[in-house]
């Protein structure tokens, strides 16, 4: 299927806010075009049924992540793989033919002013909810990467470390409401899921070459991302220098 035909199929020739982005990505990447053709029915359905501006931003972030990952030759993707549980990560990413890891995409919906650090309550609570609400989708026995998109990234590596430490500290307290908020049974169940989280990457929307990206690697992860794979993953998001 030609690129023009593929785009016409996805959007039915109708105006859509994602037309410019998709046109750019399809025109510049044969591998992304092949990915979109493989999953064209799924993507077309999402484009048709997604109307809310916030949800459209979520979808754009998913598709841009696919585009970025597929710039790396060792990576191939499956979109919304079947995984034997109710909620599954957005992508199964295979590195060459030797290893598959999972990538889940989400967005932080709250907006902070530049002088409001994430380490204040206004930043910690929404970010905590954003991260912890995804723990139930992480797969056991796999490396799991969570990508969090934000409208404006006013966050440092130290800030993200502090937020993750506070999450651990809250989970260690005898407060069932914290675990139950994320559909987890108890403290032990929380940490079973938390240890499935290999790393968190936070990035702004509409990623540019010089855009800030912040990464946190979970020292408690049962399945950390192998070094060679992490190098390629970081490069896909322009953070190989970190």
């Amino acid at each position: 299927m030609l690129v023009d035909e593929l785009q016409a199929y996805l959007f039915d020739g109708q105006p859509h806010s994602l037309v410019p982005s998709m046109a750019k990505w399809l025109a510049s990447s044969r591998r992304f075009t092949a990915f979109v053709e493989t999953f064209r029915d799924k993507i077309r359905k999402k484009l048709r049924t997604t109307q809310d501006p916030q949800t459209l931003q979520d979808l754009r972030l998913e598709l841009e992540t696919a585009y970025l990952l597929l710039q790396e030759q060792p990576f191939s993707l499956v979109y919304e793989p079947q995984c034997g549980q109710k909620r599954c990560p957005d992508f199964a990413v295979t590195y060459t033919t030797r290893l598959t890891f999972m990538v889940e995409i989400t967005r932080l919906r709250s907006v902070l002013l530049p002088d409001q650090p994430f380490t204040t309550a206004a930043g910690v609570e929404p970010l905590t909810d954003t991260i912890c609400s995804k723990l139930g989708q992480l797969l056991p026995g796999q490396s799991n990467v969570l990508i969090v998109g934000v409208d404006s990234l006013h966050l440092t590596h130290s800030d993200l470390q502090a937020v993750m430490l506070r999450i651990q500290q809250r989970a260690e307290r005898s407060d069932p409401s914290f675990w139950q908020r994320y559909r987890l049974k108890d403290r032990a169940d929380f940490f079973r899921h938390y240890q499935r989280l290999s790393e968190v990457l936070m990035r702004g929307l509409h990623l540019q070459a010089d855009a800030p990206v912040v990464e946190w690697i979970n020292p408690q992860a049962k399945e950390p991302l192998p070094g060679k794979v992490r190098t390629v993953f970081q490069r896909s998001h322009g953070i190989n220098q970190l």
Side-chain angles (χ1 to χ4, degrees):
M1 186 179 289
L2 298 175
V3 168
D4 289 345
E5 294 173 344
L6 182 57
Q7 185 131 326
Y9 176 78
L10 294 174
F11 295 101
D12 287 327
Q14 301 299 313
H16 195 286
S17 64
L18 295 189
V19 166
S21 296
M22 286 294 289
K24 176 183 175 182
W25 298 332
L26 290 169
S28 63
S29 174
R30 291 182 180 179
R31 299 189 76 227
F32 180 73
T33 299
F35 165 83
V36 172
E37 185 167 5
T38 299
F39 298 101
R40 61 184 181 273
D41 293 337
K42 184 187 297 288
I43 295 171
R44 184 174 189 253
K45 181 178 179 180
K46 285 174 173 278
L47 291 167
R48 281 184 161 193
T49 58
T50 303
Q51 303 296 331
D52 174 67
Q54 292 288 341
T55 311
L56 279 171
Q57 289 277 30
D58 295 343
L59 179 57
R60 187 192 185 283
L61 183 61
E62 286 182 14
L63 294 172
E64 185 180 47
T65 299
Y67 171 78
L68 292 171
L69 291 171
L70 288 169
Q71 302 313 294
E72 302 299 331
Q73 289 294 326
F75 285 161
S76 58
L77 308 184
V78 174
Y79 197 9
E80 295 184 339
Q82 299 296 312
C83 64
Q85 62 183 41
K86 287 185 177 180
R87 298 184 298 160
C88 301
D90 293 307
F91 296 111
V93 185
T94 298
Y95 174 78
T96 64
T97 58
R98 294 181 293 173
L99 180 141
T100 297
F101 65 99
M102 314 307 292
V103 174
E104 173 64 15
I105 319 295
T106 191
R107 283 181 57 243
L108 182 64
R109 299 300 180 91
S110 68
V111 178
L112 290 177
L113 298 174
D115 60 349
Q116 288 182 296
F118 274 89
T119 47
T120 65
V124 168
E125 289 305 315
L127 185 52
T128 296
D129 277 344
T130 297
I131 293 171
C132 292
S133 65
K134 292 297 182 179
L135 294 179
Q137 289 175 248
L138 307 181
L139 300 188
Q142 297 271 17
S143 299
N144 294 274
V145 177
L146 177 63
I147 296 178
V148 182
V150 295
D151 292 335
S152 297
L153 187 61
H154 305 297
L155 181 79
T156 67
H157 178 72
S158 296
D159 291 336
L160 183 54
Q161 281 187 312
V163 170
M164 299 309 297
L165 178 59
R166 290 187 65 172
I167 288 174
Q168 294 177 56
Q169 291 171 340
R170 291 181 66 180
E172 287 168 351
R173 298 172 190 160
S174 299
D175 182 6
S177 63
F178 181 73
W179 314 315
Q180 293 167 1
R181 184 172 185 171
Y182 307 112
R183 303 178 185 179
L184 300 172
K185 297 175 183 178
D186 52 28
R187 178 181 180 275
D189 191 35
F190 180 93
F191 279 103
R192 271 194 298 272
H193 286 80
Y194 184 80
Q195 290 169 351
R196 297 175 186 175
L197 179 61
S198 304
E199 47 196 87
V200 176
L201 183 147
M202 293 192 65
R203 48 154 292 191
L205 303 182
H206 308 282
L207 191 63
Q208 304 296 324
D210 58 349
V213 179
V214 177
E215 187 180 36
W216 172 81
I217 298 171
N218 187 359
Q220 298 184 31
K222 292 288 188 181
E223 300 288 343
L225 206 59
K228 290 183 179 179
V229 182
R230 180 180 294 118
T231 296
V232 179
F233 175 75
Q234 290 177 330
R235 189 170 65 214
S236 73
H237 281 74
I239 56 173
N240 55 306
Q241 73 276 11
L242 294 183

